[in-house]
Amino acid sequence: MDTTARTPDEGAADRLARDLALVLPALHRALDRRVDADFPHPKPAEGQITLMRLIRDRDGITVREAAEVLLVKPNNLSATVTHMVAAGLVERRRDPDDKRVTHLHLTPTAAERTHAVDELISGYVEQALATLSDGERGALGAAVGALHVLERGLHPSAP
């Protein structure tokens, strides 16, 4: 049993860490379930959607670069990409200067579906935000920047 005394700030930090670790995945699951219910197409797996968003934002990214950003093994991501290529969601294009390297690009179908999923999620969050007070919305708005900093701090390749 730990008998060291904690300062009030340490106790608050512990509670905040626990609360964030519980609420963030719960928010993600709630959004995912809503999308599952409302998306008019077969919904790609969450890992595929995450990869499609990354490719959308960094068109031409390589599998190795994507694996590093997504914190997955390159061979596992390569298998996912192969499946997505077969499903018509991703295109692999050879690098003109180095034929061993391929760059990833979304197909128009994948771009449309990624956008549709993102629009659904934005709509759900907007609806939920409308039920909050101005102060609660302000607190969430102020927290978004801090959450981005927190995510960067948790990423293993962070400086």
Side-chain angles (χ1 to χ4, degrees):
M1 184 170 167
D2 183 11
T3 58
T4 58
R6 293 183 184 259
T7 66
D9 285 346
E10 288 174 333
D14 287 348
R15 280 190 304 282
L16 178 59
R18 275 194 306 276
D19 289 348
L20 284 172
L22 292 173
V23 76
L24 295 175
L27 286 169
H28 180 77
R29 283 191 307 276
L31 288 168
D32 196 47
R33 286 189 182 122
R34 299 264 323 255
V35 170
D36 280 343
D38 296 339
F39 194 60
H41 308 282
K43 184 179 161 281
E46 184 57 34
Q48 291 180 353
I49 291 172
T50 300
L51 178 58
M52 288 189 295
R53 286 182 183 127
L54 179 61
I55 296 168
R56 175 197 60 205
D57 295 343
R58 294 180 56 184
D59 188 46
I61 193 169
T62 67
V63 170
R64 181 164 301 285
E65 292 166 340
E68 184 177 311
V69 170
L70 298 175
L71 306 176
V72 297
K73 294 180 180 177
N75 60 330
N76 291 347
L77 190 62
S78 184
T80 299
V81 168
T82 298
H83 178 73
M84 293 173 73
V85 167
L89 299 172
V90 171
E91 296 175 355
R92 281 184 166 134
R93 297 183 196 155
R94 293 235 179 259
D95 187 295
D97 299 325
D98 185 347
K99 300 296 182 196
R100 297 169 296 170
V101 176
T102 59
H103 299 275
L104 304 176
H105 304 273
L106 291 183
T107 64
T109 297
E112 174 189 316
R113 291 187 181 173
T114 302
H115 178 74
V117 167
D118 289 346
E119 287 294 309
L120 282 172
I121 290 171
S122 291
Y124 302 145
V125 173
E126 285 178 28
Q127 289 172 350
L129 287 171
T131 68
L132 302 179
S133 70
D134 289 342
E136 289 166 329
R137 282 191 300 276
L140 286 173
V144 170
L147 288 170
H148 283 293
V149 172
L150 179 64
E151 185 271 331
R152 285 191 299 274
L154 292 171
H155 198 288
S157 66

